[in-house]
């Protein structure tokens, strides 16, 4: 997830354009802005790159999730099926919408198991939020088929998987809405930012209004604009959008470098029969931000993650014990620690998250290590890394 590794003159020039115009707002000031519309350019180019009709930029990936839920009409008391291996933003956005996150098992794609959706259905289920974790895809075609058959909305959280695809189609474009993040650690970054994409013109218009206090953006007189709906402020600034324009134009170079680096390490690791790689429904569509692999049991996985980091192979994550991406360590959710009271019905409708049992997900995440793939590795650093990986895996094989 390394967009920040390759900032250069391209980003500087884009930001300079905005500073020279003096207009940091993405709307209006038509005369003053000297033709600079960075957010609009980013939206147009992102939609084209993803092969989707519409894109709306917003202030974060979390904002994108909130916008997607709102414009899909997911709200009070609705249930949304989600995987337990994700980022906390998934359940935050759902709870903030007044809806109920319902966790269902993942499979060896490390993403939601399409076969687990049916068991999680209730009469209140409204949507499935599929999360394409660690740079690669869920079985999104099968998930889509289940959603269509059951009449459920499909929202894709592709915040970690921009540039990845399944059978040539961009992740984020399978469901009704797709969401991306450009936060500081994502594949391309603009400091803070996000985007929703959709082929539905009406949902796009709603997103556009919702993310800016419900304004309809007709004409260029803010005071005269209508408010078709009650919205909120999820706007991106022109400064952030400017960085994003430059970063998006580097996406294909980023993907190519990541894929080369990942393949070199993966090839070396394939010699160790204890190592199983994450299942990729379409390996060619992997964005290769991470190399995720499983060891035979949790004890060896935990030990190996520690040994890899100690041997200088930094950026090896054992998600089962760290509190970033897996339900097991989310004590705040399990105890429903909130700043302000949630809508009363949520306390009735939400399951007790400390009792949610997902034995298959536990078994998979308990054996999984993800190694971050960086852009800035020089050839000799990559070779040193591979040598260290061989050393650690060799010792594990003997021990
Ligand atoms: C980063 C991330 C988000 C949230 O994005 P922000 O821009 O940081 O708000 C949501 N979902 C997943 C899976 C993420 O990795």
């Amino acid at each position: 997830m390394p967009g920040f590794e390759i900032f250069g003159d391209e980003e500087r020039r884009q930001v300079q354009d905005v500073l020279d115009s003096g207009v940091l707002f993405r709307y209006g000031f038509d005369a003053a802005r000297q033709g600079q519309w960075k957010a609009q350019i980013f939206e147009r180019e992102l939609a084209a790159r993803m092969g989707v009709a519409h894109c709306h930029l917003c202030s974060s990936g979390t904002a994108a999730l909130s916008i997607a839920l709102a414009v899909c009409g997911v709200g009070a008391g609705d249930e949304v099926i989600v995987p337990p291996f994700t980022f906390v933003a998934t359940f935050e956005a759902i709870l903030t919408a007044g809806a109920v996150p319902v966790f269902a098992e993942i499979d060896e794609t490390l993403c939601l198991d399409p076969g687990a959706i049916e068991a999680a259905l209730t009469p209140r289920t409204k949507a499935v939020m599929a999360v394409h974790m660690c740079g690669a895809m869920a079985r999104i075609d099968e998930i889509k088929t289940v959603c269509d058959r059951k009449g459920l909305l499909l929202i894709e959280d592709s915040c970690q998987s921009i540039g990845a695809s399944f059978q040539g189609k961009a992740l984020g474009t399978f469901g009704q809405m797709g969401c991306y993040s450009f936060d500081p650690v994502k594949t391309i970054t603009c400091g803070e930012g996000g985007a929703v994409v959709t082929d539905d013109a009406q949902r796009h218009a709603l997103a556009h209004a919702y993310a800016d206090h419900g304004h309809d953006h007709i004409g260029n007189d803010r005071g005269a604009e209508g408010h078709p709906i009650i919205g909120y402020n999820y706007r991106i600034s022109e400064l952030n959008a400017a960085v994003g324009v430059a970063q998006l134009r580097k996406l294909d170079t980023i993907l190519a470098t990541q894929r080369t680096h990942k393949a070199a390490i993966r090839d070396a690791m394939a010699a160790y029969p204890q190592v199983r790689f994450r299942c990729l429904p379409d390996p060619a569509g992997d964005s290769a931000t991470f190399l995720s692999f499983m060891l035979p049991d949790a004890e060896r996985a935990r030990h190996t993650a520690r040994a890899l980091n100690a041997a200088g192979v930094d950026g090896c994550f054992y998600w089962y014990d760290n509190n970033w991406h897996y339900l097991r360590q989310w004590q705040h959710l399990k105890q429903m620690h909130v700043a302000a009271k949630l809508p009363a019905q949520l306390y009735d409708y939400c399951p007790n998250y400390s009792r949610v049992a997902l034995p298959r997900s536990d078994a998979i995440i308990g054996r999984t290590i993800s190694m971050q793939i960086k852009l800035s590795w020089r050839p000799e650093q990559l070779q040193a890394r591979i040598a260290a990986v061989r050393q650690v895996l060799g010792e594990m094989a003997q021990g």
Side-chain angles (χ1 to χ4, degrees):
M1 301 155 111
F4 66 84
E5 293 182 279
I6 53 161
F7 284 140
D9 285 340
E10 302 80 5
E11 285 79 1
R12 272 187 280 278
R13 258 198 320 270
Q14 291 289 337
V15 171
Q16 194 64 49
D17 287 347
V18 176
L19 292 174
D20 288 346
S21 79
V23 181
L24 309 189
F25 199 48
R26 68 160 298 179
Y27 297 112
F29 300 94
D30 295 30
R33 65 192 312 136
Q34 302 163 27
Q36 299 295 344
W37 298 92
K38 299 302 184 190
Q40 286 186 22
I41 292 172
F42 193 178
E43 283 166 347
R44 220 161 34 231
E45 295 189 8
L46 186 61
R49 174 63 178 76
M50 296 303 145
V52 72
H54 305 284
C55 169
H56 185 73
L57 283 183
C58 56
S59 50
S60 70
T62 309
L65 298 177
S66 288
I67 294 166
L69 290 164
V71 307
C72 284
V74 178
D78 292 333
E79 292 182 357
V80 183
I81 295 174
V82 297
F85 182 53
T86 181
F87 180 52
V88 296
T90 303
F91 65 77
E92 288 173 339
I94 294 167
L95 288 171
T96 302
V100 179
V102 174
F103 291 96
E105 299 270 22
I106 60 167
D107 59 26
E108 290 208 350
T109 65
L110 302 183
C111 301
L112 189 65
D113 177 356
I117 294 173
E118 200 149 347
L121 287 177
T122 78
R124 286 199 293 270
T125 310
K126 179 100 176 229
V128 170
M129 189 178 277
V131 186
H132 301 290
M133 278 300 280
C134 299
M137 72 286 311
R139 296 181 203 277
I140 193 65
D141 55 337
E142 294 173 50
I143 291 173
K144 175 88 169 86
T145 301
V146 176
C147 288
D148 288 348
R149 203 171 60 229
K150 298 291 175 187
L152 304 173
L153 293 153
L154 173 59
I155 296 170
E156 287 172 87
D157 177 343
S158 302
C159 289
Q160 292 198 5
S161 297
I162 195 162
S165 58
F166 176 72
Q167 292 174 356
K169 188 170 163 61
L171 301 188
T173 66
F174 286 81
Q176 276 72 27
M177 303 285 287
C179 303
Y180 303 107
S181 163
F182 313 112
D183 85 15
V185 297
K186 296 301 204 269
T187 306
I188 59 173
T189 179
C190 67
E192 296 284 359
V196 287
V197 293
T198 180
D199 278 321
D200 184 319
Q202 221 167 342
R203 285 207 177 95
H204 172 245
L206 257 183
H208 197 185
Y210 183 73
D212 179 29
H213 305 295
H215 283 113
D216 61 15
H217 306 111
I218 294 170
N220 57 13
D221 178 357
R222 293 285 287 177
E225 279 182 78
H227 294 113
I229 56 166
I230 295 172
Y232 206 64
N233 178 4
Y234 290 122
R235 289 189 310 257
I236 193 163
S237 89
E238 284 286 280
L239 283 174
N240 295 89
V243 177
V245 168
Q247 286 265 296
L248 178 59
R249 292 173 183 170
K250 297 178 178 179
L251 177 59
D252 288 314
T253 314
I254 291 173
L255 296 176
T257 305
Q258 285 174 172
R259 285 167 178 160
T260 305
H261 288 172
K262 177 171 174 174
I265 301 173
R266 189 189 189 283
D267 288 351
M269 286 176 58
Y272 299 88
Q274 296 95 332
V275 173
R276 254 176 86 131
F277 295 103
R278 166 189 185 173
C279 165
L280 295 172
D282 177 12
D286 178 14
S287 73
T289 57
F290 280 98
L291 172 56
S292 295
F293 57 97
M294 289 100 172
L295 291 172
D297 53 63
E299 197 187 331
R300 267 177 280 190
R302 184 179 278 123
H303 173 81
T304 302
R306 217 176 287 138
L308 284 167
N309 284 305
V313 186
D314 59 344
C316 289
F317 299 99
Y318 183 58
W319 308 115
Y320 193 68
D321 287 348
N322 96 16
N323 68 12
W324 274 95
H325 288 307
Y326 191 57
L327 174 66
R328 178 170 178 260
Q329 298 285 7
W330 293 336
Q331 301 311 330
H332 60 325
L333 174 69
K334 293 182 177 184
Q335 280 143 40
M336 278 288 205
H337 286 162
V338 290
K341 263 191 283 186
L342 295 169
Q345 79 189 120
L346 272 184
Y347 292 94
D348 298 333
Y349 286 174
C350 283
N352 179 342
Y353 292 111
S354 66
R355 298 230 181 91
V356 170
L358 297 160
R360 280 193 294 133
S361 302
D362 280 345
I364 292 166
I365 296 297
R367 290 187 291 116
T368 299
I369 297 172
S370 295
M371 183 191 297
Q372 193 173 18
I373 304 297
K374 287 202 163 182
L375 294 174
S376 53
W377 292 335
R378 293 187 305 274
E380 65 276 16
Q381 288 177 308
L382 181 60
Q383 289 316 313
R385 231 178 146 74
I386 289 171
V389 168
R390 285 204 173 106
Q391 173 90 29
V392 169
L393 293 179
E395 281 165 12
M396 182 200 66
Q398 283 161 20

